[in-house]
Amino acid sequence: MRIADPLSHGFTLVELILTIVILGTITAFALPKFFNQTTFDERFYYDDLLSASRYASKLAIGSGCAVRLSVSSGGYSLTQDSNCNFSAPNYNLTVSRPDDGLAFSNTDVPDNLSISTDQASIIFWPNHQVVNGSGATFATATIQLSGERTRQIIIYGGSGYVQEG
């Protein structure tokens, strides 16, 4: 029976140091990409605006009154026609979030996120149709959010369908 040499097992000092250097390099360069708060803030804002767009469509159909989504570089807001008068709408009723009752709006745009749209005012009608602020129909409205990653929201004028772009 052969007895193993106790010095021939384990790692050398050089191997341990190289392992620590490699792990340190990965930690310094790769981990910040996974835990970048800006990425989470941008995604939250995008999801919030997407949710607002879909809610506006459903609320217009469910309530029978038009709902306006106003989008600008400073944020978005949802308002509803308070008297359901389609010939002379009055968008002075603030739409509340269904979960907490707060206004369905968000002006807390992340610093590096820019918002652009081809329709600043998007109005959802109860008949599934969507028009712009002038009352003109359109094929699609695109809301683009550009930051670390570019994301789009596409709203179809003929059906009121809201899609991630």
Side-chain angles (χ1 to χ4, degrees):
M1 179 160 94
R2 182 174 172 174
I3 299 175
D5 181 12
L7 297 177
S8 67
H9 295 293
F11 297 105
T12 66
L13 184 58
V14 173
E15 290 171 330
L16 288 173
I17 290 174
L18 275 174
T19 303
I20 291 170
V21 168
I22 291 170
L23 288 174
T25 303
I26 290 172
T27 302
F29 292 102
L31 285 181
K33 296 287 183 191
F34 292 112
F35 299 108
N36 185 350
Q37 185 63 37
T38 303
T39 304
F40 289 107
D41 291 344
E42 287 178 8
R43 182 59 195 219
F44 171 79
Y45 194 87
Y46 171 77
D47 287 343
D48 195 40
L49 181 54
L50 181 65
S51 175
S53 303
R54 289 177 173 162
Y55 186 71
S57 175
K58 303 301 181 243
L59 181 62
I61 295 165
S63 69
C65 297
V67 178
R68 180 176 63 188
L69 170 65
S70 301
V71 181
S72 70
S73 60
Y76 77 86
S77 65
L78 285 183
T79 53
Q80 189 172 19
D81 182 7
S82 60
N83 56 9
C84 293
N85 184 347
F86 300 109
S87 60
N90 186 9
Y91 298 101
N92 63 354
L93 183 61
T94 301
V95 174
S96 299
R97 293 179 186 269
D99 58 346
D100 58 12
L102 298 175
F104 216 138
S105 65
N106 193 340
T107 56
D108 190 20
V109 181
D111 291 335
N112 64 325
L113 188 66
S114 67
I115 303 170
S116 59
T117 181
D118 53 2
Q119 303 291 334
S121 186
I122 301 167
I123 300 168
F124 295 87
W125 291 97
N127 65 354
H128 300 271
Q129 186 180 13
V130 184
V131 297
N132 64 17
S134 304
T137 59
F138 53 82
T140 60
T142 303
I143 304 169
Q144 183 164 312
L145 291 85
S146 302
E148 286 189 8
R149 179 175 172 205
T150 300
R151 295 179 171 92
Q152 287 184 338
I153 297 171
I154 301 168
I155 301 170
Y156 293 90
S159 64
Y161 180 70
V162 179
Q163 170 185 326
E164 295 184 57

